[in-house]
Amino acid sequence: MVFTANPILTTPRKPIIRPEHWLKKKYPEKHHHYGLEDFFAFHTASGTIVDWNDCRNALASEDFIIGLIEGLEAEVGNASGVVMYQIGRQWGLKDAAFFRKWFMEEYQYEKELHQLNLAYVLEAWWWPFTSQGWGNWSVDMDEQKNGFMFINIYDSAVARTLGDVGKPVCHIYAGLMAGFFSSLVKKSLSCIEIQCYSMGENYCKFLLGKQERIDAATFWQNEGATAKDIEKRLVHGEYLK
Amino acid sequence: MMSQSVLAQLSVTEFFQGYNWSGQPPKLESLLQTTAIDPASWLTLSVGDFLSQSNWHGSPRGVQPKPPQLEKALSLTLTVQEYFQYPVWQGQPHIAVVPKDPVRREAKTKATEKYQVTDLTHLF
């Protein structure tokens, strides 16, 4: 038996040409790149969109979001929320590493990331999400002494698309927050959406904390508790018995 | 709208301090209090003085400046040295000062603004 080289395997692969952000290439020190045409580079010839942080972007329609959510529900039923949460969590973990890289490369701080101002770092992390259409946010740390915090998302892409369905739908956001903050604080954190635009509320509200608190909030929510009920119980230090 | 001559007399500070920032309607003085000009005396006026009597900018008569004097002050016949001495070059840096509100409390600082990232670790 004679072995010969497989011509398919020996064919040299063409190197993948990564699209460049031409404005960044020209002005790498330009930190005020907040305009649409500054932050995104639209390569119309190749049909690719790359942002200032060299992240490849893809446009998705509301039909895509509906198809994704409903398709997942058709496949796994009630577990679709958990699946979306886990997708979001993995995304958040990876995005935390990605954020650290571009943030420190962009601003060249001598201090470590954990020594920088929290509000500044959080805003630096989220504003590209806002640019990409994931909605605006605010972080409420008034209850930090109780070991949890709230994150508000205004104009969630998922909730806005699905409309009023009477239940929380932004599981991917909850996972994203859990993953990112877990990586940031180097502790395992969980997150639950306790109020959603899809429940007829004005904005989505997420509770971030350790697993036992989130488990308690999940139980109370399943029992019919509102966001305010959950908040009150947590402030009073209630846990699952 | 203020005329160019009035604007030229004001420093930046005075302009911003005098501006109607709160949008309150101006208190107009009664037009009856203004001195009526005898139409017969118009004939004795030069064209420049006659036209300068009109309220071209629609500003309240009580606060209307005296155009002839200002025209003279802003005259292009001034020497360069005189002209550039006219503006108030050294204004006080108190532009658009907002009066202190004695009952206003300090705005509540967002909790995140005083923390470093490492502090967040201790919160959980």
Side-chain angles (χ1 to χ4, degrees):
Chain A
M1 185 179 287
V2 177
F3 291 95
T4 58
N6 187 332
I8 296 173
L9 294 176
T10 54
T11 304
R13 286 185 176 180
K14 288 183 180 177
I16 298 172
I17 301 170
R18 294 181 64 84
E20 287 182 325
H21 195 298
W22 39 62
L23 188 66
K24 186 178 183 180
K25 190 179 179 186
K26 193 174 181 182
Y27 303 108
E29 303 293 322
K30 178 183 164 72
H31 299 309
H32 52 289
H33 43 260
Y34 304 115
L36 180 72
E37 300 288 342
D38 290 352
F39 185 65
F40 295 105
F42 297 91
H43 295 260
T44 50
S46 59
T48 54
I49 305 169
V50 61
D51 67 28
W52 187 273
N53 304 321
D54 288 330
C55 179
R56 176 82 179 271
N57 285 250
L59 302 177
S61 64
E62 292 192 340
D63 287 342
F64 173 84
I65 296 174
I66 292 172
L68 177 66
I69 304 287
E70 293 192 351
L72 197 58
E73 280 181 356
E75 290 290 333
V76 299
N78 291 334
S80 66
V82 179
V83 174
M84 289 303 290
Y85 179 86
Q86 290 302 332
I87 292 171
R89 184 177 173 82
Q90 291 304 313
W91 176 25
L93 289 169
K94 287 185 184 296
D95 194 69
F98 175 67
F99 167 68
R100 272 197 183 85
K101 183 174 178 292
W102 75 252
F103 182 78
M104 298 311 281
E105 283 179 2
E106 175 75 23
Y107 297 110
Q108 302 283 320
Y109 286 114
E110 293 180 0
K111 289 181 177 180
E112 297 291 325
L113 182 72
H114 65 268
Q115 294 175 305
L116 298 175
N117 180 273
L118 176 61
Y120 171 62
V121 170
L122 293 183
E123 199 53 40
W125 174 60
W126 187 257
W127 86 257
F129 284 86
T130 305
S131 302
Q132 291 161 348
W134 292 97
N136 221 324
W137 86 333
S138 67
V139 179
D140 177 0
M141 294 185 63
D142 287 347
E143 298 299 335
Q144 48 85 15
K145 62 182 182 297
N146 292 313
F148 60 89
M149 57 185 266
F150 295 107
I151 297 162
N152 302 320
I153 296 284
Y154 308 96
D155 209 15
S156 154
V158 177
R160 181 188 59 208
T161 301
L162 295 186
D164 191 353
V165 295
K167 63 178 182 179
V169 293
C170 305
H171 306 291
I172 195 167
Y173 282 79
L176 174 66
M177 300 300 167
F180 175 78
F181 280 94
S182 293
S183 175
L184 192 67
V185 305
K186 297 183 172 58
K187 290 179 181 176
S188 180
L189 299 177
S190 296
C191 187
I192 181 179
E193 186 180 27
I194 58 174
Q195 169 183 306
C196 186
Y197 178 80
S198 285
M199 299 161 66
E201 302 287 348
N202 290 329
Y203 60 93
C204 302
K205 188 168 191 171
F206 298 84
L207 170 69
L208 183 76
K210 284 198 160 184
Q211 185 67 48
E212 62 266 23
R213 284 191 172 86
I214 304 305
D215 286 345
T218 306
F219 175 77
W220 295 326
Q221 189 178 50
N222 290 337
E223 294 291 305
T226 64
K228 286 198 182 302
D229 297 334
I230 294 170
E231 193 172 340
K232 273 184 189 174
R233 289 186 172 193
L234 287 169
V235 169
H236 292 144
E238 289 186 40
Y239 286 89
L240 286 179
K241 293 175 182 174
Chain B
M1 187 176 176
M2 291 185 187
S3 68
Q4 288 284 351
S5 53
V6 176
L7 283 175
Q9 268 197 328
L10 298 174
S11 67
V12 174
T13 305
E14 289 167 338
F15 172 78
F16 280 103
Q17 283 179 337
Y19 198 83
N20 185 11
W21 295 106
S22 55
Q24 296 294 323
K27 292 178 181 175
L28 299 176
E29 294 182 13
S30 171
L31 293 175
L32 294 174
Q33 293 175 355
T34 57
T35 308
I37 300 173
D38 180 12
S41 66
W42 291 348
L43 298 173
T44 64
L45 296 174
S46 66
V47 174
D49 289 342
F50 173 77
L51 293 177
S52 65
Q53 293 296 323
S54 298
N55 185 7
W56 295 105
H57 300 282
S59 57
R61 288 177 180 270
V63 296
Q64 195 176 18
K66 295 176 179 177
Q69 293 176 1
L70 295 175
E71 285 297 323
K72 185 181 177 183
L74 272 179
S75 172
L76 293 175
T77 60
L78 293 173
T79 64
V80 173
Q81 185 183 20
E82 288 170 338
Y83 185 87
F84 279 99
Q85 282 176 347
Y86 188 75
V88 182
W89 296 103
Q90 294 177 334
Q92 298 296 318
H94 296 292
I95 298 170
V97 176
V98 178
K100 284 187 177 178
D101 183 358
V103 298
R104 194 173 63 179
R105 295 177 183 175
E106 286 293 316
K108 189 180 178 183
T109 308
K110 276 191 172 181
T112 48
E113 291 174 4
K114 60 188 177 187
Y115 292 118
Q116 293 179 341
V117 175
T118 190
D119 296 323
L120 190 63
T121 309
H122 306 305
L123 301 182
F124 295 102

